[in-house]
């Protein structure tokens, strides 16, 4: 139904202008979504790569994706009666935000399990195991024939993997529901069926999926924030999805994080929940589904990071939600894209880096044999900001054209975009910058939180988180005020 706003971005067609600067990359992205051209005259993008130790333009990717989200917020503010304002995103600050650094009561939590990491297999190739969740760790250990539990050491894993072929272990792990990726070069990924499928996709798609009358955004005075009274349901858990909701909250949206009481979270929830309400609902129960349905009936944006098709079984797929709440903006995040043989495969930033060639290319640039990760989880963070950008593009479309909209983004599509940006000669020699001057301290439901301020600066409506981060289930499952 309707049409796809998925014009092939120039950076995927090989246009050189989009690869020369952040402004060029932003222009290509902005134009691909048919956003107003004049807004591009109000963005300032100081800084150049390298700002982090990488041979890839991680600074540019961070700066461009944050700038797209921020400029879209400024455009919505203008649609609501404000004048166009200047937006500035410093590259170094943007890169610092993607480090995900935070402390609680002065202590930096350890977010990595000791089994997580890369291992050489018996065929000489490498695999990366993601074991930060106990059920993923125990699944990998069981597949390897190792004792499960937190007491196992890496040596046992290394000895077990010496008996495996890397690609065969990757496939066996996928069939067992375990999150593993084999190391590939760019050329190998480009020939892989999933790499081929991703190559046919734009960076993000915004698709009209239903009919609905336009819902004009209320007009406010100059003291209002761009997304004031926009309600966002956030059904995500790890990094990219939570960063999307956190970004929308920074621009004034009421973001409600909805967690299952039966699923684990990572320590970073304390940092990525800034600005959000936090509730619990078990979608495997009728009560949980009713709770979500009631919240949905007055929401504007629905953000979810389940594997493609997983929410359909619960009655909350894109078309289901569009029927329940005509005019909704539905945002879907996946690891490897919504098409291709890996569309339903579990994945995280570090695994997509490994599978799609980045760890191999970064190792080559460093002159080392072992896979080398990029210095930050840039695929997660850039994807999160791109989700926030796409959500706001669709909000603007809904307000003027009507309809219900589906925004789709994946880590693998973001990875392909990053490849289109310039490589950085001698980028690995760049030192990791100090965080001095970038941190802010706030009280939270987890303790005293110190984390990086949002990198986007607005001349009229400063970005800020008006609510502290709080543990799951802190808030009641009702919106804080009534509005259609």
């Amino acid at each position: 139904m309707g049409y796809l706003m998925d014009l092939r971005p120039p950076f995927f067609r090989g246009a050189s202008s989009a690869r020369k600067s952040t402004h060029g990359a932003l222009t290509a992205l902005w134009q691909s979504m048919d956003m107003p051209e004049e807004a591009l005259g109000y963005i300032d993008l100081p800084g150049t790569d390298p700002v982090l130790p990488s041979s890839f333009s991680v600074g540019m990717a961070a700066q461009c994706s944050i700038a797209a989200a921020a400029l879209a917020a400024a455009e919505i503010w203008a649609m609501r009666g404000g004048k166009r304002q200047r937006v500035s995103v410093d590259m170094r600050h943007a890169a610092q935000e993607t480090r995900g650094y935070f402390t609680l009561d002065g202590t930096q939590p350890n977010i990595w399990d000791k089994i997580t990491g890369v291992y050489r297999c018996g065929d000489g190739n490498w695999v990366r195991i993601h074991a930060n969740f106990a059920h993923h760790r125990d699944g990998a250990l069981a597949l390897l024939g190792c004792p499960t539990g937190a007491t196992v050491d890496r040596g046992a894993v290394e000895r077990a993997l010496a008996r495996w072929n890397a690609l065969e272990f990757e496939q066996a792990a996928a069939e067992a529901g375990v999150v593993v990726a084999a190391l590939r070069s760019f050329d190998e990924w480009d020939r892989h069926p999933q790499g081929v499928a991703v190559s046919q996709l734009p960076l993000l798609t915004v698709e009209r999926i239903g009919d609905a009358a336009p819902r004009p955004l209320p007009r406010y005075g100059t003291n209002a924030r761009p997304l004031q009274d926009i309600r966002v349901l956030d059904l995500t858990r790890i990094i990219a999805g939570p960063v999307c909701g956190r970004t929308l909250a920074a621009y004034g949206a009421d973001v409600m994080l909805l967690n299952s009481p039966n699923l684990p979270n990572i320590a970073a929830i304390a940092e990525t929940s800034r600005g959000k309400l936090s509730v619990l609902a078990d979608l495997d129960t009728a009560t949980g589904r009713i709770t979500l349905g009631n919240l949905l009936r007055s929401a504007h944006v629905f953000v979810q990071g389940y594997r493609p098709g997983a929410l359909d079984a619960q009655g909350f797929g894109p078309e289901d939600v569009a029927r329940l709440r005509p005019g909704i903006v539905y945002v879907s995040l996946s690891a490897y894209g919504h098409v291709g043989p890996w569309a339903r495969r579990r994945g995280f930033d570090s695994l997509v880096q490994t599978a799609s060639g980045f760890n191999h290319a970064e190792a080559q640039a460093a002159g080392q044999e072992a896979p080398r990760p990029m210095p930050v989880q840039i695929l997660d963070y850039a994807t999160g900001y791109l989700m926030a950008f796409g959500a706001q593009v669709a909000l603007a479309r809904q307000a003027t054209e009507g309809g219900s909209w589906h925004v789709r983004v994946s880590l693998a599509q973001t990875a392909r975009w990053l490849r289109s940006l310039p490589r950085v000669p001698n980028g690995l020699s760049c030192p990791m910058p100090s965080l001095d001057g970038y941190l802010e301290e706030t009280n939270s439901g987890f303790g005293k939180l110190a984390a990086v301020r949002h990198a986007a600066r607005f001349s009229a409506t400063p970005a800020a988180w008006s609510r502290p981060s709080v543990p799951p289930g802190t808030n009641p499952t009702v919106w804080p005020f009534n509005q259609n």
Side-chain angles (χ1 to χ4, degrees):
M1 181 181 299
Y3 61 90
L4 278 174
M5 284 177 13
D6 63 355
L7 305 178
R8 183 69 56 180
F11 40 74
F12 282 175
R13 293 199 302 263
S16 60
S17 61
R19 297 198 297 265
K20 291 179 180 177
S21 67
T22 305
H23 199 282
L26 176 63
T27 297
L29 175 57
W30 194 258
Q31 291 174 341
S32 76
M33 291 290 106
D34 200 27
M35 293 292 280
E37 192 83 15
E38 55 268 30
L40 291 167
Y42 289 81
I43 187 76
D44 298 311
L45 299 167
T48 57
D49 274 309
V51 290
L52 296 176
S54 177
S55 69
F56 291 93
S57 291
V58 291
M60 184 185 294
Q63 184 183 39
C64 179
S65 54
I66 293 175
L71 195 61
E75 188 61 26
I76 286 178
W77 191 71
M79 289 175 59
R80 303 180 78 167
K83 295 181 180 178
R84 279 206 165 91
Q85 58 179 309
R86 295 210 70 80
V87 176
S88 177
V89 180
D90 176 77
M91 184 181 289
R92 185 176 295 273
H93 191 164
Q96 296 280 40
E97 190 171 333
T98 67
R99 291 174 66 177
Y101 176 89
F102 70 101
T103 62
L104 291 172
D105 297 326
T107 300
Q108 184 179 3
N110 179 21
I111 64 172
W112 298 100
D113 185 270
K114 63 183 180 181
I115 299 301
T116 293
V118 293
Y119 298 85
R120 189 189 289 274
C121 291
D123 63 341
N125 196 12
W126 301 75
V127 294
R128 181 177 295 277
I129 296 176
H130 194 283
N132 288 357
F133 288 131
H135 64 292
H136 289 160
R137 180 192 65 227
D138 289 347
L141 293 173
L143 182 61
L144 291 169
C146 297
T148 58
T151 58
V152 70
D153 61 20
R154 288 181 62 91
V157 177
E158 291 169 353
R159 290 189 294 273
L161 281 169
R163 299 189 295 269
W164 278 88
N165 170 285
L167 295 178
E168 291 175 355
F169 181 66
E170 176 189 67
Q171 182 59 33
E175 293 170 358
V178 177
V179 278
V180 168
L183 181 71
R184 290 176 178 82
S185 67
F186 284 146
D187 287 343
E188 288 169 330
W189 177 246
D190 291 343
R191 294 193 301 270
H192 188 276
Q194 191 59 36
V196 172
V198 171
S199 73
Q200 304 306 306
L201 296 173
L203 178 53
L204 71 160
T205 59
V206 183
E207 177 186 5
R208 183 169 178 152
I209 58 170
D211 293 326
R215 189 181 297 123
L217 298 168
R219 297 172 73 87
Y220 292 111
T222 56
N223 291 329
R225 300 170 71 195
L227 300 185
Q228 182 170 322
D229 295 337
I230 297 298
R231 292 177 177 159
V232 179
L233 279 167
D234 181 356
L235 278 71
T236 65
R237 283 193 304 143
I238 311 302
I239 301 296
V243 164
C244 168
R246 186 189 70 186
T247 303
L248 297 174
Y251 305 153
D254 287 298
V255 180
M256 182 179 287
L257 176 63
L258 189 147
N259 276 158
S260 167
N262 304 317
L263 294 176
N265 281 290
I266 60 174
I269 190 174
E271 191 268 334
T272 59
S273 292
R274 284 180 285 175
K276 302 178 187 180
L277 303 161
S278 187
V279 304
L280 292 173
D282 184 357
L283 300 187
D284 289 329
T285 67
T287 299
R289 294 190 293 272
I290 291 169
T291 296
L292 178 55
N294 288 337
L295 291 169
L296 178 62
R297 285 183 172 87
S298 57
H300 301 87
V301 180
F302 183 99
V303 183
Q304 64 90 15
Y306 289 77
R307 285 180 297 155
L311 277 183
D312 294 71
Q314 308 284 10
F316 293 100
E319 287 75 17
D320 301 315
V321 169
R323 284 192 294 270
L324 288 168
R325 174 59 163 162
I328 195 72
V329 171
Y330 190 107
V331 184
S332 294
L333 164 70
S334 63
Y336 291 103
H338 59 278
V339 297
W342 284 14
R344 295 181 59 83
R345 184 166 292 198
R346 294 177 175 89
F348 298 96
D349 178 300
S350 57
L351 299 179
V352 177
Q353 283 193 37
T354 302
S356 65
F358 282 90
N359 288 178
H360 178 267
E362 198 80 300
Q364 282 188 320
Q368 67 183 54
E369 183 181 8
R372 180 184 176 106
M374 287 184 283
V376 294
Q377 296 182 80
I378 187 61
L379 305 184
D380 264 333
Y381 282 89
T383 299
Y385 302 126
L386 291 169
M387 292 168 71
F389 169 60
Q392 293 175 101
V393 168
L395 278 171
R397 290 279 170 177
Q398 205 293 323
T400 56
E401 301 176 17
S404 299
W405 297 84
H406 189 193
V407 179
R408 286 190 287 204
V409 187
S410 76
L411 302 180
Q413 287 162 262
T414 300
R416 188 162 177 270
W417 172 62
L418 178 58
R419 275 181 66 182
S420 77
L421 302 179
R423 292 294 292 270
V424 183
N426 302 315
L428 290 170
S429 64
C430 176
M432 188 65 81
S434 169
L435 286 158
D436 290 347
Y438 294 100
L439 300 177
E440 61 182 8
E441 283 196 354
T442 57
N443 292 317
S444 80
F446 301 90
K448 177 74 75 172
L449 173 68
V452 178
R453 301 187 314 275
H454 187 46
R457 304 289 296 273
F458 295 77
S459 61
T461 61
W465 290 291
S466 58
R467 295 184 174 100
S469 65
V470 291
T474 296
N475 301 108
T477 52
V478 293
W479 292 108
F481 50 82
N482 293 320
Q483 181 199 351
N484 292 326

